[in-house]
Amino acid sequence: MKLPPVLENAHAQIVPALRSAFGALSPELRAVVDYHMGWRDAKGRPVEKQSSKGVRPTLALLATAAAGHAPDASAVPGAVAVEALHNCAFLLDDVMDGDRHRRQRETAWVVFGKGMSTLAGTALFVLGNATLLRSDSPHRHEAVGLYDDTFATMLAGQALDLEMEGASEVSVERCVRMTEWKTASLMRCAVTMGAVLAGAPAQVLEQLRVYGESLGVAFQARDDLLGIWGAPHETGGRPPGFDLKARKATLPVAFALEERSAAADQLREFLLRPGPGDAEVARATELVEKGGGRERTAELASSKVTAALTALDSLDLAEDIRRGFAEIAAMGRPDH
Amino acid sequence: MKLPPVLENAHAQIVPALRSAFGALSPELRAVVDYHMGWRDAKGRPVEKQSSKGVRPTLALLATAAAGHAPDASAVPGAVAVEALHNCAFLLDDVMDGDRHRRQRETAWVVFGKGMSTLAGTALFVLGNATLLRSDSPHRHEAVGLYDDTFATMLAGQALDLEMEGASEVSVERCVRMTEWKTASLMRCAVTMGAVLAGAPAQVLEQLRVYGESLGVAFQARDDLLGIWGAPHETGGRPPGFDLKARKATLPVAFALEERSAAADQLREFLLRPGPGDAEVARATELVEKGGGRERTAELASSKVTAALTALDSLDLAEDIRRGFAEIAAMGRPDH
């Protein structure tokens, strides 16, 4: 997937700041993070892999600009913090979910062990906190509060996710709430962080919050579609049907279960049996599609992208900033 | 073990504050924390177990008093935060070390799963951060910085600990550093936290820091002794030799290995073999004792308790405050 120009441009500003900030970790933890970020291989040798797309730190920089400030050095701590939190969540979730592949490589815990990966992920969050606390923005303490609240919400969302594992009944409402807590809250944090640090007025913050929250749900809905119908090159190396094989209660599944049809009953049975084979996964994939799960999740993603863009209409933004927000929003479209 | 009066007295102030603060967690995470704290059983029914001794929050309250302030409501957020961090570390470490017993009960992960326990532990840290950030002390941001730095150090210490697992060669120096990072840093944080929130002068902070750091090493040294020679009622239900069975490189082992004797060589061999039986553990226990590991660890604990108390000599403390610090320091003595 080719990255939109706004991400390419932000990269040059973000990556050196990340490398410098993450360099403060102790050697044991740094090895894990350097590997996870795609900066070093499992043996500690430098590599150059395009690891993160940098959506969230770029949003933080754009938000500073949206608040009427040039996205200069003062915006960078916010960008570093949200990217630290994003990768903290990856490291912790991969351990908990037992996922073995991400970004076309083995996940960090496969290489360094579950304990070390958990420590490295947690250390990234703490590093983000410290980075904000030491920034020179007069609004840094408000930013730390936002950052902490966001992580607390994400943890509650992941707990909801774990609790839903292996459940044969998942309501759309519960699944959407989990998405809002677990992933949309981080997107919302990313897009408000820069504005908070820049001291943006409440009305600007509110519109950015709606943009971030809506886009976060769209990204997750798109991810959930890829988790069932995505090709390995779109999912960091995961086989199609991956989420169903793991019997994850994602949005397409929740929509299909809501139908109360014979197909929904069969899907419910599928979710109750651990360790399904490939044929069963293929059959479940059909059931989700037949139950409207694919279509309704795609509709949700599209409508949330539209909601995100609409939220920005009332803001007085420079043309290139608006274009940047639009380029990122487009990445949430199901057909992107 | 009967608690010293200073802990009994602080209890009434600390426990309600902890219950109120920890009540902000989402229901899924709260169930784990309530169980871990000994407030509810595995089925969520209220119980009254003396869970934590409350050493660290009591130190935070004493430190506020040492800074010349009454340990009133403004000291409580610091006490809550350090107790949150202490229990965060327990929850995370038990998952990583696979420990099944703590405080005479099954550890939280045995009941709720490793993922949920990790989330609950992490959420406690974040809660502590938020508690400090919302306190009304004008020095709260300094306190947050101390709190974050402490957790970062603890994570680096736990990473060092994981890396040492299964190693047959552990220097005393490395083991002491691990202890300083992993456990003494939290004791130091506890005893400076209250003083930081009260705006204590640098000289008071410095002496409290030495007290906390020294006492932290003493507590760990005593814990390491109990991990090999402790009776189950002293170790929360763990069998004697527990740490050797897990082949943990604790202080007594590191001291014994330093001897470069035949006994040390046999101990080294023991550490290389996973899953030792009871007879092997008993034999290794003898080897550690023969190598001077028990005696030198006890000496270390005693000397650190003395150093902790000496650090307070230059401070002008009310008699009851000094007695409180002394009662807690005595708990670090190997023969306590």
Side-chain angles (χ1 to χ4, degrees):
Chain A
M1 186 169 68
K2 212 180 139 2
L3 292 184
V6 64
L7 295 184
E8 292 287 1
N9 296 341
H11 228 248
Q13 195 171 9
I14 293 163
V15 173
L18 289 176
R19 282 180 178 266
S20 158
F22 294 3
L25 296 168
S26 77
E28 291 80 14
L29 297 175
R30 194 178 169 177
V32 184
V33 168
D34 281 359
Y35 171 82
H36 168 76
M37 296 300 293
W39 298 337
R40 289 183 184 271
D41 68 14
K43 295 203 166 114
R45 292 172 301 211
V47 285
E48 268 313 328
K49 284 190 70 81
Q50 178 75 9
S51 56
S52 165
K53 292 193 275 288
V55 166
R56 289 153 196 82
T58 304
L59 284 173
L61 297 183
L62 284 173
T64 302
H69 290 242
D72 62 4
S74 71
V76 170
V80 166
V82 294
E83 186 69 357
L85 183 47
H86 182 50
N87 286 285
C88 158
F90 275 158
L91 283 162
L92 296 185
D93 289 2
D94 285 343
V95 167
M96 289 177 205
D97 300 341
D99 286 348
R100 303 185 68 91
H101 291 94
R102 178 174 297 283
R103 297 172 180 166
Q104 314 286 353
R105 316 161 80 201
E106 285 186 320
T107 44
W109 71 263
V110 175
V111 179
F112 296 92
K114 291 192 165 185
M116 206 62 105
S117 270
T118 301
L119 293 174
T122 311
L124 277 184
F125 167 74
V126 182
L127 195 73
N129 225 31
T131 302
L132 290 173
L133 208 56
R134 279 155 207 167
S135 87
D136 54 11
S137 161
H139 306 283
R140 61 189 177 277
H141 300 128
E142 205 184 319
V144 173
L146 166 66
Y147 188 70
D148 288 356
D149 288 348
T150 301
F151 191 36
T153 303
M154 289 166 69
L155 291 167
Q158 172 71 359
L160 214 54
D161 196 9
L162 288 185
E163 224 207 23
M164 276 159 53
E165 237 170 49
S168 64
E169 196 58 71
V170 179
S171 70
V172 171
E173 184 241 332
R174 192 171 165 91
C175 203
V176 167
R177 191 189 336 147
M178 193 266 286
T179 295
E180 282 170 358
W181 287 7
K182 190 177 157 178
T183 55
S185 63
L186 175 57
M187 195 72 102
R188 187 182 61 209
C189 171
V191 85
T192 46
M193 180 58 79
V196 165
L197 285 168
Q203 181 258 354
V204 172
L205 274 180
E206 183 48 33
Q207 296 309 311
L208 290 177
R209 208 174 278 134
V210 175
Y211 171 93
E213 172 98 21
S214 306
L215 193 60
V217 175
F219 266 60
Q220 186 61 54
R222 184 175 174 275
D223 247 32
D224 284 358
L225 289 171
L226 291 176
I228 299 179
W229 292 279
H233 75 272
E234 296 174 299
T235 59
R238 296 171 172 184
F242 180 87
D243 277 353
L244 281 177
K245 196 162 181 78
R247 299 183 303 137
K248 273 192 196 163
T250 57
L251 286 164
V253 172
F255 277 123
L257 286 176
E258 216 180 35
E259 287 296 302
R260 309 265 160 219
S261 60
D265 286 340
Q266 289 167 34
L267 188 57
R268 218 164 268 123
E269 272 172 45
F270 165 85
L271 291 171
L272 282 172
R273 281 193 304 274
D278 287 347
E280 285 174 287
V281 169
R283 174 83 185 116
T285 303
E286 273 173 44
L287 291 171
V288 176
E289 178 135 20
K290 200 178 286 179
R294 184 175 194 168
E295 194 182 340
R296 290 181 64 191
T297 304
E299 280 166 9
L300 177 68
S302 292
S303 72
K304 289 291 182 179
V305 168
T306 304
L309 291 172
T310 306
L312 300 185
D313 283 348
S314 66
L315 296 182
D316 177 28
L317 300 176
E319 213 29 65
D320 60 325
I321 302 304
R322 190 178 299 277
R323 193 169 52 241
F325 280 124
E327 285 173 2
I328 291 177
M331 296 171 72
R333 292 204 188 280
D335 53 358
H336 177 74
Chain B
M1 186 169 69
K2 210 178 138 8
L3 292 185
V6 63
L7 295 185
E8 292 287 0
N9 296 341
H11 229 249
Q13 195 170 9
I14 292 165
V15 174
L18 288 177
R19 283 181 178 266
S20 157
F22 293 3
L25 295 168
S26 77
E28 290 80 14
L29 297 176
R30 194 176 170 178
V32 183
V33 168
D34 281 359
Y35 172 82
H36 168 77
M37 295 301 292
W39 299 337
R40 288 182 185 271
D41 68 13
K43 295 203 166 115
R45 292 172 300 212
V47 286
E48 268 314 327
K49 284 193 70 79
Q50 178 76 7
S51 57
S52 167
K53 292 193 276 289
V55 166
R56 288 154 196 81
T58 303
L59 284 173
L61 297 182
L62 285 173
T64 301
H69 290 241
D72 61 4
S74 72
V76 171
V80 167
V82 297
E83 186 69 357
L85 182 48
H86 183 50
N87 286 286
C88 158
F90 275 159
L91 283 162
L92 295 185
D93 289 1
D94 285 343
V95 168
M96 288 177 207
D97 300 342
D99 286 349
R100 304 185 67 91
H101 292 94
R102 178 173 297 284
R103 298 170 179 166
Q104 313 286 354
R105 317 161 79 200
E106 286 188 317
T107 44
W109 71 263
V110 175
V111 179
F112 296 93
K114 291 193 165 185
M116 207 63 107
S117 270
T118 301
L119 293 174
T122 311
L124 278 183
F125 166 74
V126 181
L127 195 73
N129 223 33
T131 302
L132 290 173
L133 208 56
R134 280 156 207 167
S135 86
D136 54 12
S137 161
H139 306 282
R140 62 188 178 277
H141 300 127
E142 206 185 319
V144 173
L146 166 66
Y147 187 71
D148 287 356
D149 287 349
T150 301
F151 191 36
T153 303
M154 291 166 69
L155 291 167
Q158 171 73 356
L160 214 54
D161 195 9
L162 287 186
E163 223 206 25
M164 276 157 55
E165 236 170 51
S168 64
E169 195 58 71
V170 179
S171 70
V172 171
E173 185 239 331
R174 194 175 165 88
C175 204
V176 168
R177 193 191 332 150
M178 193 265 286
T179 296
E180 284 170 356
W181 287 6
K182 190 176 157 177
T183 54
S185 63
L186 175 57
M187 196 72 102
R188 187 181 61 209
C189 171
V191 86
T192 47
M193 179 59 79
V196 165
L197 285 169
Q203 183 257 353
V204 173
L205 274 179
E206 183 49 32
Q207 297 309 311
L208 291 177
R209 209 174 277 134
V210 175
Y211 171 93
E213 171 98 22
S214 307
L215 193 60
V217 175
F219 266 59
Q220 185 62 52
R222 184 174 174 277
D223 246 34
D224 285 357
L225 290 170
L226 291 175
I228 299 180
W229 293 279
H233 75 273
E234 295 175 301
T235 59
R238 295 171 172 183
F242 180 86
D243 277 353
L244 282 176
K245 197 162 180 78
R247 299 184 303 137
K248 274 192 196 165
T250 57
L251 286 163
V253 173
F255 277 123
L257 286 176
E258 216 180 35
E259 287 297 301
R260 308 267 161 216
S261 60
D265 286 339
Q266 289 166 34
L267 188 57
R268 218 164 268 126
E269 271 171 46
F270 166 83
L271 292 171
L272 283 172
R273 280 194 304 273
D278 287 347
E280 287 173 285
V281 169
R283 173 82 186 118
T285 303
E286 275 173 40
L287 291 171
V288 175
E289 179 134 20
K290 200 177 288 177
R294 185 174 194 169
E295 194 183 339
R296 291 182 64 193
T297 304
E299 282 166 9
L300 178 69
S302 293
S303 72
K304 289 291 182 180
V305 168
T306 305
L309 292 172
T310 307
L312 301 185
D313 283 348
S314 65
L315 296 183
D316 178 28
L317 299 176
E319 213 29 65
D320 60 327
I321 302 303
R322 191 179 299 279
R323 191 169 53 242
F325 279 124
E327 285 173 3
I328 291 177
M331 295 171 73
R333 290 203 189 281
D335 51 359
H336 177 74

